Amino acid sequence: GSTAASAGGRSTPSGRLTPNLTNTDNESQEGFFSSDLDGSASGRRRRPLRKTTSPSSEQLRALQLKEGSNTICFRVNSEWQGTQLLTANIYLFSPLAKLVISDVDGTITKSDVLGQMLPRVGVDWSHLGVTALHQCIAVNGYQMVYLTARGIGMATTTKEYLASIKQGEDMLPPAPVLLSPTRLIESLTREVIRRNPEEFKIECLQQVRSLWPEERNPFYAGFGNNS
């Protein structure tokens, strides 16, 4: 199978997985990292963990993912806030999956900027008929993937918004939501001021493509409001 992103982990009593990134001495790589106390009486800290958003094959195998959506749980230990849990979904696709990529802002929503702002105040700013289109694609055996240049800090609000869109009896099919790992201000500057969100989107899709063998192209179609 193929997957978009994950991290190695172990099972918790609740049945969810607590990922643990591997140790390395390279701290210059872009991405995210965490470290915490080793739990001993001395309070010594673990070795720094590599900053990464790309887990190894061994870490992915350790998760024992099932095909489709899987729930994982990141456990973060803080001296001031105690243990914090962050849940996320990770998708495992069949090697034969046919991916259809859908932009979010200006495609599912009616415009780039207002599509990010108006749903926050309860205004539905989605294109009429977009849910029926996406449902039709999914029913015919294609796997939707939502792609947006929004920053990772908007992950929760973006996923909640997509899950809330309902037109008649149709809702958007559940699917991975790929966001930029950059901060909110940087993401807004790239999309609204510089107007080149393709910087992130092209690189992101290239990373997804690399999960499949060279002779197997998983992309069947894609659509957005800009060429």
Side-chain angles (χ1 to χ4, degrees), residues 4 93 97-105 107-108 130 133-134 137-138 142-149 173 175-179 200-202 204-209 212 217-226:
F93 292 153
K98 295 180 290 185
L99 306 185
V100 174
I101 311 300
S102 173
D103 185 28
V104 175
D105 295 308
T107 302
I108 293 178
V130 69
L133 171 63
H134 285 66
I137 292 172
Y142 299 95
Q143 173 62 57
M144 292 299 311
V145 176
Y146 303 116
L147 176 64
T148 173
V177 181
L178 305 181
L179 301 99
F200 158 72
K201 294 178 180 178
I202 291 174
C204 180
L205 292 176
Q206 288 174 339
Q207 291 181 9
V208 174
R209 173 66 181 87
W212 273 262
N217 185 354
F219 298 132
Y220 186 84
F223 50 92
N225 60 313
N226 293 309

Side-chain angles (χ1 to χ4, degrees), residues 86-121:
L86 174 65
T87 59
N89 294 324
I90 178 171
Y91 286 77
L92 178 66
F93 292 153
S94 163
L96 301 179
K98 295 180 290 185
L99 306 185
V100 174
I101 311 300
S102 173
D103 185 28
V104 175
D105 295 308
T107 302
I108 293 178
T109 66
K110 295 179 182 179
S111 62
D112 292 337
V113 179
L114 293 180
Q116 298 188 40
M117 304 302 178
L118 291 183
R120 293 174 173 264
V121 294

